[in-house]
Amino acid sequence: MVKGVMFDFSGTLFRIESVSEWLGAVVAEAGLDMSADELAACAGRLTVTGALPGGAPPRALPSHLEGLWRERDLSAEQHRAAYTALAREASLPSAELAEALYDRHRTSAAWRPYPDTEATLRALRGQGVSVAVVSNIGWDLRPVFRDHAVDGLVDAYVLSFEHGVQKPDPGLFRAACDKLGLPPEEVLMVGDDRVADAGAAALGCPVHLVDHLPVDRRPNALRAVLGLVQEG
């Protein structure tokens, strides 16, 4: 019987803003004078380099960044270093933008919950089902949940940079199950990554995958979790 649910963060419960929105917000804050064509071109380069955390991965990863990329979620320092380096690969109009772009993605304004996130978490709480957020990430996402008024619906956060372990390593899922006080076979893992999130299966956790889509194209995929909990 399913008594707990682990959720991934990015692409599962929340979605990062688009590259154009991300860049536009930082450029406006910096007071830079860029034309629409210049902004579009820069956004295109940032997309290719995969510089937006939570966005699409690099289309062609430079060889000198391969090691840092593989281990980017093991610490806050590695995470920042990886993504600011990718941003600099995009020939930014100002060198300072790389750090500003990184800082922007850590703000609550840069993230939108999926339409059914709150309703699903609230329904699980009503059923007495424990919830953990398990994320490969290099910064503290708790303020995002607080600012979007869903923090009270989460029982535990297990973040890779705080544990020095990243999914699909079973150790991160084990830490979450321990925090919930439940055996793995009673904890469902819900995520969007068929490698990282499916790693929970090695512990005996059931796994349910959703598509990593923009919020307006995925209105109710999380509601299926409620049926899986009832069936389990």
Side-chain angles (χ1 to χ4, degrees):
M1 180 178 181
V2 174
K3 296 181 179 178
V5 180
M6 297 181 285
F7 286 99
D8 173 51
F9 168 56
S10 175
T12 300
L13 292 177
F14 283 78
R15 168 87 179 205
I16 191 68
E17 63 190 344
S18 71
V19 174
S20 295
E21 292 169 326
W22 174 56
L23 174 64
V26 171
V27 166
E29 178 69 21
L32 294 178
D33 184 16
M34 294 180 66
S35 70
D37 287 345
E38 288 171 330
L39 281 169
C42 188
R45 296 193 299 272
L46 287 165
T47 298
V48 170
T49 63
L52 175 59
R59 294 181 186 173
L61 186 65
S63 58
H64 67 281
L65 294 179
E66 288 177 356
L68 187 59
W69 174 257
R70 281 195 304 271
E71 299 184 344
R72 65 192 182 281
D73 295 316
L74 292 177
S75 73
E77 294 76 19
Q78 287 166 281
H79 195 266
R80 178 180 282 273
Y83 281 104
T84 53
L86 290 172
R88 293 187 185 97
E89 293 286 324
S91 301
L92 298 172
S94 169
E96 293 75 19
L97 279 188
E99 296 292 340
L101 286 166
Y102 185 84
D103 291 338
R104 165 69 187 183
H105 104 275
R106 296 176 59 190
T107 67
S108 299
W111 294 90
R112 292 176 59 192
Y114 280 92
D116 55 347
T117 290
E118 181 177 355
T120 300
L121 294 177
R122 197 168 295 283
L124 291 172
R125 176 56 55 92
Q127 294 178 21
V129 177
S130 300
V131 169
V133 172
V134 183
S135 177
N136 278 353
I137 198 165
W139 51 277
D140 185 3
L141 51 73
R142 294 172 182 86
V144 175
F145 282 76
R146 287 198 295 270
D147 292 343
H148 286 278
V150 292
D151 178 61
L153 304 175
V154 177
D155 299 291
Y157 295 89
V158 179
L159 312 180
S160 62
F161 83 102
E162 294 180 338
H163 291 261
V165 176
Q166 59 190 18
K167 298 180 291 185
D169 191 309
L172 204 63
F173 304 109
R174 170 66 72 181
C177 292
D178 290 346
K179 281 199 171 189
L180 295 180
L182 295 169
E185 60 271 18
E186 294 181 359
V187 183
L188 173 68
M189 176 63 206
V190 180
D192 67 293
D193 192 310
R194 284 156 176 76
V195 175
D197 296 318
L203 281 183
C205 298
V207 175
H208 177 69
L209 296 172
V210 296
D211 292 323
H212 188 152
L213 294 171
V215 292
D216 58 353
R217 290 176 54 198
R218 212 198 74 192
N220 55 14
L222 292 174
R223 293 183 185 273
V225 173
L226 302 177
L228 293 171
V229 169
Q230 291 168 356
E231 291 173 6

